[in-house]
Amino acid sequence: MRRTGEEPGEGPEPTDVQDAAGTGAAFSALLEDSAEDLYESAPCGYLSTLMDGTVAKINATLLEWLGVEREAVVGRARFADLLSVGGKMYHETHFAPLLRMQGELSGVALEMKAADGRRLPVLVSSRVKRSSQGEPLLIRTTVFDASDRRAYEQELLRRRREAEQARADAERAHAEAEAARRQAEADRERLTDALAVLQQSLVPSALPAVPGLEAAAYYHTASPDRLGGDFYDLFPLSKGRWAFFLGDVCGKGPQAASLTSLTRYTLRAAALHDPEPAAALTTLNSVLHERYATSGDPRYCTVIFGVMEPCGDHGHTTVRLASGGHPPALVVRAEGRTEYLPTPGGLLVGVLAAARFSTTQTTLGPGDTLLLYTDGLTEARTGPTREHLFGDEALQRFATEHAPATPQEMITALTGLLESFGGGLDDDTALLALGVPATHPNAHPATKQQA
């Protein structure tokens, strides 16, 4: 019989009724669990102790965690006996006194001792049960397994310690790097100072005053960390006669400095014995070849050697030159003309046992300047890409633009030119300029007017 208003086919289906009945039966079965079963199989540990800590009741969950039998615990052990040594000390000194004072504690971290020796981290909550008159009767305690939490905390602690250690290592490494940097800077400064002193010992500290002549020099060091191999000198031979030389040895560093020192002193000694320029270079060639080539470590240098002496009473000076593979000297005349002074036939000094050198000669009049230089000047790299060498022609044009010029004026102009090269100047450069003053006291009147 249908209810009023129901159309045919409406109302609960038979399967829906059956499902509802099955669900109700399942809930009824769950509700049939006894309180004792819920206590014994709870997902946490339960135990009740007398006020002195003697275990009066303990559930199966906690017994399983500890791996002990009920008979060995109930009435035989105190709660503190189930704890580790550290946990027992904390229980006696903190947990139990606070519990007696407050009546309850919650979430206290302790460590229990299993039968197999394992340590079980737990969170313990306890409450004192009292009589109707307020007298304490027993203590109910809930125990939660905190192994996962302990592992998580230990992992966090480990990561924190690792992070702190990494930070400390980084700070220590930074401090060590900073100390090393400061030490390296100090060492470099000391090395630079030492090299500067040694470099200065390879060239005159100042050029001597030459009667009737002017002289100026400049030395550019490409790197303060390396000893260069360029050298020059100016020294008297006899009354009115002066010798000079300028050159460049192969290599850099201490070995080049040793070769430079040997070359300078050999040329000075050779000039005093025989002032002929070609003879001085021949002597130097023999010394270098015997010292280095015969020992299997050939070393050589390029050098231009000259002697100056006055000629006549009109302020003119004769210059005799010999070159050993060195760039030619450049003469800047008083009337503004410039020319290279060729010295053909000059071989590298020290390469061959018997090298031949030839001598050339020129005369400097009032206002004329003789310029000697090493190849660091002409081989300086120019242009945006540093692909082109400055070269001999550019040097002559530069000298012509600044002619006429005294030795000091020419050196000053060339110093500015070297600075303009910037990073393109990657080799040491030595400059030596010698000249006759335009107002020489013995100059012929016509010469003075021309100058």
Side-chain angles (χ1 to χ4, degrees):
M1 181 176 180
R2 295 189 184 91
R3 294 192 299 271
T4 306
E6 284 188 357
E7 296 295 330
E10 292 184 359
E13 295 291 334
T15 55
D16 295 338
V17 175
Q18 294 174 0
D19 290 342
T23 301
F27 277 115
S28 298
L30 289 175
L31 294 176
E32 290 178 358
D33 287 344
S34 65
E36 184 66 22
D37 185 54
L38 290 174
Y39 176 85
E40 291 292 337
S41 303
C44 60
Y46 288 122
L47 76 158
S48 299
T49 66
L50 303 180
M51 294 306 299
D52 64 357
T54 302
V55 178
K57 189 175 182 180
I58 187 171
N59 73 341
T61 300
L62 185 55
L63 290 172
E64 181 180 355
W65 289 352
L66 299 177
V68 295
E69 298 295 332
R70 193 184 303 272
E71 293 77 11
V73 176
V74 175
R76 295 178 177 273
R78 297 174 183 269
F79 175 63
D81 297 333
L82 304 180
L83 303 176
S84 64
V85 175
K88 183 181 296 186
M89 292 179 60
Y90 184 83
H91 179 271
E92 297 297 335
T93 58
H94 293 78
F95 188 91
L98 286 174
L99 182 61
R100 286 193 294 268
M101 291 174 58
Q102 299 178 7
E104 64 177 319
L105 290 176
S106 177
V108 178
L110 292 174
E111 194 174 62
M112 303 190 77
K113 178 180 62 177
D116 58 4
R118 291 181 298 106
R119 295 294 184 265
L120 177 66
V122 294
L123 291 177
V124 175
S125 296
S126 296
R127 173 176 292 184
V128 177
K129 180 181 180 182
R130 300 180 182 275
S131 65
S132 58
Q133 290 78 27
E135 295 294 326
L137 300 177
L138 55 84
I139 301 172
R140 289 173 174 169
T141 299
T142 304
V143 180
F144 293 92
D145 185 355
S147 299
D148 292 341
R149 175 174 173 174
R150 176 68 61 85
Y152 176 71
E153 291 174 347
Q154 290 177 344
E155 180 65 15
L156 288 179
L157 181 61
R158 184 182 67 82
R159 294 291 180 87
R160 179 180 178 180
R161 288 174 178 171
E162 289 178 353
E164 291 175 349
Q165 184 64 41
R167 183 167 56 251
D169 292 344
E171 292 175 352
R172 183 171 60 255
H174 177 73
E176 292 175 352
E178 182 63 20
R181 184 188 63 80
R182 289 194 297 266
Q183 183 62 44
E185 289 180 352
D187 292 343
R188 182 171 183 177
E189 289 180 1
R190 286 194 293 268
L191 176 61
T192 300
D193 293 341
L195 291 178
V197 172
L198 182 56
Q199 187 74 66
Q200 291 172 1
S201 69
L202 301 178
V203 295
S205 58
L207 294 178
V210 183
L213 295 174
E214 292 183 355
Y218 176 74
Y219 192 99
H220 169 80
T221 302
S223 172
D225 299 333
R226 292 189 309 174
L227 283 171
D230 293 7
F231 59 91
Y232 61 87
D233 207 349
L234 174 64
F235 55 96
L237 292 175
S238 60
K239 185 177 181 179
R241 299 176 68 194
W242 289 76
F244 61 90
F245 57 79
L246 178 141
D248 184 8
V249 304
C250 64
K252 301 291 181 184
Q255 292 180 329
S258 175
L259 178 57
T260 299
S261 180
L262 176 62
T263 299
R264 290 185 67 234
Y265 290 116
T266 300
L267 285 175
R268 273 180 164 261
L272 294 175
H273 176 71
D274 185 349
E276 180 63 26
L281 294 187
T282 300
T283 300
L284 176 62
N285 184 80
S286 299
V287 171
L288 296 186
H289 189 270
E290 180 180 355
R291 173 72 176 274
Y292 295 104
T294 57
S295 63
D297 183 25
R299 292 189 172 275
Y300 58 88
C301 71
T302 67
V303 61
I304 190 166
F305 184 94
V307 176
M308 305 177 71
E309 58 183 322
C311 61
D313 297 327
H314 302 297
H316 289 70
T317 297
T318 299
V319 180
R320 292 174 57 79
L321 291 174
S323 174
H326 199 80
L330 180 62
V331 181
V332 182
R333 298 297 180 182
E335 67 271 19
R337 179 171 52 89
T338 61
E339 59 185 351
Y340 282 109
L341 187 61
T343 48
L347 299 175
L348 294 175
V349 182
V351 175
L352 301 178
R356 294 183 178 275
F357 305 99
S358 60
T359 302
T360 189
Q361 180 173 314
T362 190
T363 300
L364 297 180
D368 292 346
T369 295
L370 178 72
L371 174 65
L372 307 180
Y373 55 92
T374 55
D375 58 8
L377 172 58
T378 53
E379 293 182 0
R381 299 186 177 277
T382 62
T385 59
R386 306 294 186 189
E387 295 180 354
H388 304 288
L389 300 182
F390 182 62
D392 298 333
E393 294 182 0
L395 174 59
Q396 185 173 4
R397 286 195 302 270
F398 181 86
T400 302
E401 292 171 357
H402 290 79
T406 66
Q408 186 57 61
E409 289 172 346
M410 182 55 65
I411 292 298
T412 300
L414 289 172
T415 301
L417 175 65
L418 293 175
E419 292 177 352
S420 70
F421 291 145
L425 186 61
D426 55 4
D427 194 8
D428 296 338
T429 303
L431 304 174
L432 176 63
L434 306 167
V436 179
T439 56
H440 194 281
N442 295 327
H444 191 276
T447 305
K448 288 185 179 179
Q449 183 67 31
Q450 185 180 23

